[in-house]
Amino acid sequence: MSDPRLWQIKDRADTVEPERRPETRHPSDEFIRRMLAPLRRAVFKPGVLRWFEVWQIRREGRRMEALATEALAARVRATAPQLLRDGLTGRPLRIAVAGVREMTFRMTGKRHHPVQIIGGLGLLRGRIVEMATGEGKTLTTLIPAVVVALVGIPVHVVTVNSYLAQRDADTLAPVLAAFGLRHGVITDATEHHLRPEIYGRDVVFSTNSDIAFDYLRDRLALGHNRTALSQVAQRILSTKAGRDSRRILTRGLGFAVVDEVDSILIDEAQTPLIITAQRPGDAALTAGEDAILALAASLEEGRDFQLDRKKRTVRLMPVAEDMLTGFVPPTAALVPEPARREALVQALSALHLYIRDEHYILNDDGLVIVDEFTGRVMPDRQWQSGLHQLIEAKEKLDRSGRRETLAQITYQTFFARYLWFAGMTGTATEVARELRQSHGRAVFQVPSNRRSMRRIWPTRLFGSEAARWHAVVAEAKSVADRGRAVLIGTRSVAASEHLAALLRGAGLDPQVLNARQDADEAALIAMAGEPGRITVATNMAGRGTDIPVGPEVEARGGLHVILTEFHGSARIDRQLIGRAARQGQRGSARAIVSLNDALFSDTVPRLARLIRVCSFGFGGRLPGLFAESLRKSAQKRTSAQGRRRRSETVRRAERQQKSLGFRPDNI
């Protein structure tokens, strides 16, 4: 049996703040791990003992109902020394969880359901918990957050965006305050000098990128002097005898609850987090970018180069290689032939693989990247190796300075440095095997509290985009006219704005939620469930959002969700569909897609062409069975490609770490 004191680990790093020493994996270990992975369960459900534990907790809770609020808080706080000594087990744990449940009811009017107690205990023990959308994952977070914080371990509640971090903090603040716990919120708008004090609080709500980047900045500030002895000596001998002003984190990496864990550990794990320093541009560099972009614009696809739009790769043909040899570079940086070749590949990528209002938008700050998984803007981010500047040149914008890499880390490596962490999501089953192999955690599948009333309408497939959009407008109008609310999901900013224009042309008044309206997200989400309301949204409305649906709308059938294009991952589709029929309410969803969608044409082009040939190029409605065949084939292939990219990202980071001579417990 493992030690219930999860903070007592053998491979703790030799630092003042709590942190786990990075695991060193040998190729032979990885081979054996992969061979044994199919033999280990990737998904399991709560058994009889877990439900008996819930029954005991509810019994303890009934005994606490007569206590005054202050006495209740004191009763829970009194369990902290016992939990610290004996670990997260036994009657002290049951009393603490029951107290959190009762206090939550008094402060918010909501009491944890049995499935939320099961989920909270799973999180407390470091599991990946799958709970159906709408089951109340925010309240579930309270159980591990309060119990671990009372023990004295720093707690980070990690979400995928600043909106959700602030929302969760506001929701849970009264309960945390009732137990005397201090909390804070870190977002991209939080100034540097305010962060140390916030990180010093008991519970910190933030995004995965903010916490990971702050960790990297700390590593850079400390350099190699990270041992406990060196840090204590530095503080004692410091002239101010205080904390280094460059530092950000003050309590280390204790325990993390990662919301939408599959998004962070799977979707966003394909690229590492990188700390850079900006290098000012110069006229010669700008001239070189303009010249190579002009050369790229003169080339013809198929004759001079080939594109793989799904993998975003460019392959130069012999004709282009000959043209590159005769190219006279205007700057010394492009004199070496490898530099010219790389610049030309990047220029072709900028022209053909990165599309405005899909991969980036233009605003008052210039070019801003859009996260393809969340649909949100990523300020202060740049593409590497000059690609960002070439896209700026394509859009005829002022050139920003190039950035040099100072440090980098993958999400897989970062979260492995917590003493222990847990995750929750509504869509983990599809990636359970990968989570088991990469992070050593099986998916703990919690049943729903109420039977789902969601109706999935048959998928509609059309041979042309125009016919698809016409069908979407017609269905949205028909459903909204019946007094229901409609949420329409699109994959890009451009598609959302095009559809909104079509809806307005049909006499409707849609609300648009995409990267341009991220500041108004809370207000738009709050209104999206009103009678007759039509909301057009990118992936921003797919994860973590709770669209309130009133009794009037629910009586008429609830929220109706329309997918206008399948995503590369079935999990993202499930997230959007999960906005409807939450917590036992009524609701429905349908996919209305086109044979020309990028997922089909880029991933399974032969199957898409075969269906087009069999339908004689008909642009109208085709059998929905074709759409399901295309979806399953494309998403299976995309998922396999994603797994390979994530594995390669980790291997590349490990190779770089070895080649640069980083210590295992350093950056």
Side-chain angles (χ1 to χ4, degrees):
M1 182 177 178
S2 60
D3 192 338
R5 296 172 299 173
L6 299 177
W7 48 90
Q8 297 290 340
I9 59 175
K10 296 180 180 179
D11 54 349
R12 178 165 172 156
D14 180 22
T15 56
V16 173
E17 292 87 4
E19 179 181 329
R20 184 185 290 268
R21 184 182 297 111
E23 179 183 2
T24 302
R25 294 185 177 183
H26 298 286
S28 58
D29 296 334
E30 281 298 298
F31 175 76
I32 295 174
R33 192 191 301 265
R34 289 194 183 95
M35 293 295 292
L36 295 179
L39 304 178
R40 305 178 68 185
R41 289 179 61 187
V43 180
F44 66 99
K45 298 180 180 180
V48 176
L49 292 179
R50 295 285 75 82
W51 290 114
F52 179 66
E53 188 176 25
V54 170
W55 178 81
Q56 290 178 304
I57 289 170
R58 296 177 71 184
R59 185 180 62 177
E60 293 285 356
R62 287 192 289 271
R63 297 170 180 168
M64 296 180 175
E65 292 177 359
L67 294 176
T69 299
E70 291 184 1
L72 174 63
R75 181 77 177 94
V76 174
R77 286 198 299 267
T79 64
Q82 296 170 287
L83 292 172
L84 185 61
R85 183 187 67 241
D86 301 328
L88 304 176
T89 187
R91 189 160 183 257
L93 175 62
R94 296 194 292 271
I95 292 173
V97 174
V100 172
R101 182 172 182 255
E102 177 64 24
M103 187 67 77
T104 302
F105 176 69
R106 298 186 185 188
M107 296 295 109
T108 68
K110 299 177 181 178
R111 181 177 274 121
H112 291 82
H113 297 299
V115 295
Q116 291 174 314
I117 300 174
I118 282 276
L121 291 171
L123 294 173
L124 197 60
R125 290 157 179 156
R127 293 172 175 168
I128 303 295
V129 176
E130 181 182 78
M131 297 178 67
T133 54
E135 289 297 309
K137 289 191 284 292
T138 302
L139 281 187
T140 303
T141 306
L142 264 176
I143 292 174
V146 171
V147 173
V148 176
L150 287 175
V151 172
I153 306 295
V155 177
H156 294 162
V157 179
V158 184
T159 60
V160 292
N161 60 69
S162 299
Y163 162 71
L164 294 178
Q166 188 64 61
R167 185 205 66 181
D168 290 354
D170 293 341
T171 301
L172 306 183
V175 183
L176 296 172
F179 287 112
L181 297 173
R182 299 186 308 143
H183 80 281
V185 183
I186 298 283
T187 69
D188 52 10
T190 306
E191 297 183 19
H192 181 282
H193 70 280
L194 299 176
R195 296 190 178 213
E197 191 276 329
I198 296 175
Y199 276 119
R201 300 177 189 177
D202 302 295
V203 181
V204 178
F205 297 83
S206 188
T207 67
N208 48 294
S209 58
D210 278 302
I211 289 184
F213 276 123
D214 284 346
Y215 175 83
L216 272 184
R217 293 185 186 105
D218 257 8
R219 305 289 77 81
L220 286 172
L222 286 173
H224 291 283
N225 298 318
R226 294 190 58 230
T227 64
L229 182 60
S230 65
Q231 290 179 51
V232 170
Q234 186 180 35
R235 294 178 185 181
I236 294 176
L237 299 176
S238 172
T239 55
K240 296 183 180 180
R243 185 184 54 80
D244 190 335
S245 62
R246 299 171 298 174
R247 294 294 314 282
I248 297 175
L249 292 172
T250 58
R251 300 190 68 208
L253 304 179
F255 172 62
V257 179
V258 186
D259 193 12
E260 307 300 348
V261 67
D262 59 321
S263 175
I264 295 172
L265 294 185
I266 301 296
D267 297 333
E268 298 188 40
Q270 297 183 23
T271 54
L273 297 166
I274 300 174
I275 291 283
T276 60
Q278 186 154 315
R279 184 180 65 189
D282 54 44
L285 199 59
T286 300
E289 292 164 353
D290 292 337
I292 204 72
L293 196 67
L295 174 62
S298 68
L299 302 181
E300 181 180 336
E301 184 179 356
R303 184 194 67 185
D304 303 320
F305 63 92
Q306 290 182 341
L307 297 177
D308 186 331
R309 288 180 168 80
K310 192 63 185 177
K311 297 180 181 179
R312 290 187 193 169
T313 58
V314 177
R315 186 167 72 90
L316 299 179
M317 305 295 282
V319 177
E321 295 279 4
D322 294 340
M323 295 178 66
L324 196 60
T325 303
F327 175 71
V328 180
T331 174
L334 294 178
V335 170
E337 184 178 347
R340 293 203 303 275
R341 182 179 295 104
E342 181 183 5
L344 181 59
V345 168
Q346 295 287 54
L348 289 168
S349 299
L351 289 173
H352 303 288
L353 299 179
Y354 291 83
I355 304 168
R356 186 202 298 184
D357 293 338
E358 181 176 345
H359 302 109
Y360 62 91
I361 62 172
L362 304 181
N363 60 18
D364 296 339
D365 298 325
L367 187 152
V368 184
I369 298 174
V370 176
D371 188 334
E372 62 181 304
F373 298 109
T374 65
R376 290 177 167 80
V377 294
M378 298 192 293
D380 299 324
R381 301 285 186 90
Q382 274 196 10
W383 285 296
Q384 293 181 278
S385 305
L387 175 62
H388 198 91
Q389 289 69 31
L390 286 165
I391 297 176
E392 289 174 331
K394 178 183 75 171
E395 297 291 351
K396 296 180 171 53
L397 300 173
D398 292 337
R399 235 58 58 84
S400 58
R402 295 198 182 193
R403 297 183 177 182
E404 296 178 344
T405 299
L406 299 180
Q408 69 177 42
I409 195 171
T410 62
Y411 278 124
Q412 295 95 322
T413 301
F414 172 67
F415 283 105
R417 295 195 178 182
Y418 278 89
L419 298 186
W420 85 104
F421 78 91
M424 56 182 174
T425 179
T427 52
T429 303
E430 292 91 339
V431 291
R433 185 63 61 190
E434 184 174 355
L435 289 170
R436 181 57 145 167
Q437 182 173 324
S438 302
H439 301 278
R441 285 168 167 79
V443 172
F444 186 53
Q445 203 172 47
V446 178
S448 58
N449 185 54
R450 297 178 181 175
R451 185 172 63 89
S452 175
M453 300 290 289
R454 185 182 303 116
R455 294 173 55 204
I456 305 298
W457 295 359
T459 299
R460 289 182 175 177
L461 174 66
F462 291 87
S464 68
E465 292 187 22
R468 183 260 308 278
W469 293 127
H470 178 77
V472 170
V473 171
E475 181 158 306
K477 184 177 188 305
S478 173
V479 174
D481 286 346
R482 296 201 293 268
R484 298 179 62 185
V486 180
L487 173 66
I488 307 175
T490 63
R491 285 195 64 177
S492 67
V493 174
S496 67
E497 294 177 344
H498 173 67
L499 177 57
L502 294 177
L503 290 166
R504 294 188 186 102
L508 302 172
D509 182 26
Q511 301 296 315
V512 180
L513 175 58
N514 59 34
R516 300 190 202 279
Q517 290 84 27
D518 57 349
D520 304 322
E521 180 175 1
L524 292 172
I525 288 294
M527 297 186 297
E530 295 178 352
R533 175 77 64 176
I534 299 176
T535 305
V536 182
T538 55
N539 294 351
M540 292 176 68
R543 279 198 178 271
T545 53
D546 187 5
I547 298 176
V549 176
E552 182 181 358
V553 174
E554 206 270 336
R556 292 188 172 99
L559 178 69
H560 180 60
V561 175
I562 302 176
L563 281 76
T564 61
E565 189 173 350
F566 290 122
H567 295 79
S569 170
R571 293 177 296 106
I572 300 179
D573 293 337
R574 269 219 291 157
Q575 285 284 347
L576 187 59
I577 291 171
R579 299 312 100 200
R582 296 163 68 88
Q583 300 178 357
Q585 292 181 330
R586 297 169 65 192
S588 57
R590 188 203 299 275
I592 303 178
V593 298
S594 165
L595 195 56
N596 297 323
D597 288 347
L599 178 66
F600 301 151
S601 58
D602 294 346
T603 310
V604 284
R606 293 181 180 178
L607 183 57
R609 283 196 299 269
L610 177 62
I611 293 175
R612 187 172 297 282
V613 169
C614 293
S615 61
F616 301 101
F618 179 58
R621 184 176 173 182
L622 302 172
L625 181 63
F626 288 166
E628 287 303 305
S629 299
L630 285 166
R631 179 187 66 82
K632 290 178 181 179
S633 299
Q635 289 179 342
K636 182 179 180 180
R637 185 169 298 180
T638 302
S639 297
Q641 292 171 351
R643 285 194 297 271
R644 287 194 293 269
R645 283 196 295 269
R646 287 186 289 274
S647 297
E648 179 56 32
T649 297
V650 174
R651 287 194 294 268
R652 191 185 308 118
E654 291 175 350
R655 287 196 299 268
Q656 184 178 32
Q657 185 181 59
K658 292 178 181 178
S659 64
L660 295 178
F662 289 142
R663 285 168 39 193
D665 61 344
N666 209 350
I667 293 176

